[in-house]
Amino acid sequence: MTQKRSMAPAGSSDARLLILGSLPGEASLAAQRYYAHPQNQFWRLLGQAIGEDLATLAYAKRIEVLAACEIALWDVVAQATRPGSLDGAIRSVTPNPLRDFVATHPRLRAVAFNGQTAARIGRAALGNSRQLQLVDLPSSSPAYTLPFDHKAERWAVLGRLHGGQKMPHCES
């Protein structure tokens, strides 16, 4: 089995919304970029939810826009064994210190989980976090075959959760 490690958080250092995936897939780990697989719908889904065309931007610009929108990205798994990229193959999980992240981000108001695996592991790692709104989203992975429009309907809640402030690249 191949040992995999998550990447550092990206986006806002003072986030109001944290979006958590499970563990980056092969393409993302190789590129050291969140949601790097070209078929992953993450950037389209999030962009539609917050009113930004993230999918057409270079990766560095995407991260800048997230920072302006007070959104951070991270993963629930710090390290695990997993052949390939499927969440169902994740074993021997060590979660990221999500409680520490929450404790050091006082403006954080909501945590969204990208997929069932992220929700299951993330909710357990966060424990009873009454001050945060927790949102389970359908996975943006191409392996989860729910039609894009159905995913987008559920992801639309992020437009209301990201802070709602008018910013240079964040007009939701």
Side-chain angles (χ1 to χ4, degrees):
M1 289 270 191
T2 305
Q3 185 76 5
K4 309 270 173 76
R5 295 183 191 282
S6 69
M7 300 180 289
S12 177
S13 61
D14 193 24
R16 295 173 63 85
L17 170 63
L18 172 63
I19 303 172
L20 294 168
S22 55
L23 180 66
E26 298 286 336
S28 295
L29 290 171
Q32 285 296 291
R33 296 179 176 183
Y34 281 98
Y35 304 101
H37 193 287
Q39 293 179 339
N40 193 298
Q41 298 171 331
F42 178 84
W43 296 109
R44 285 180 54 213
L45 289 165
L46 180 57
Q48 187 169 317
I50 66 170
E52 294 286 338
D53 191 7
L54 297 172
T56 63
L57 300 176
Y59 183 76
K61 186 64 176 173
R62 291 174 182 172
I63 299 303
E64 285 178 26
V65 171
L66 293 187
C69 294
E70 301 177 317
I71 298 171
L73 303 179
W74 204 19
D75 291 297
V76 297
V77 176
Q79 65 182 21
T81 54
R82 180 185 65 197
S85 297
L86 295 177
D87 282 358
I90 294 173
R91 302 286 183 268
S92 303
V93 171
T94 301
N96 268 318
L98 300 180
R99 289 182 192 178
D100 292 347
F101 187 96
V102 170
T104 58
H105 291 78
R107 297 184 69 234
L108 191 63
R109 296 293 173 256
V111 175
F113 301 103
N114 184 1
Q116 291 179 347
T117 300
R120 179 178 46 79
I121 296 168
R123 284 177 177 274
L126 283 171
N128 190 5
S129 185
R130 297 178 201 269
Q131 77 271 22
L132 295 174
Q133 182 174 351
L134 304 179
V135 178
D136 296 357
L137 300 169
S139 176
S140 65
S141 169
Y144 187 62
T145 59
L146 185 70
F148 180 84
D149 290 345
H150 291 107
K151 289 181 184 182
E153 286 174 18
R154 297 270 310 281
W155 278 67
V157 68
L158 299 184
R160 296 182 295 278
L161 295 177
H162 83 280
Q165 298 182 5
K166 302 285 183 189
M167 297 181 187
H169 283 281
C170 206
E171 299 297 325
S172 294

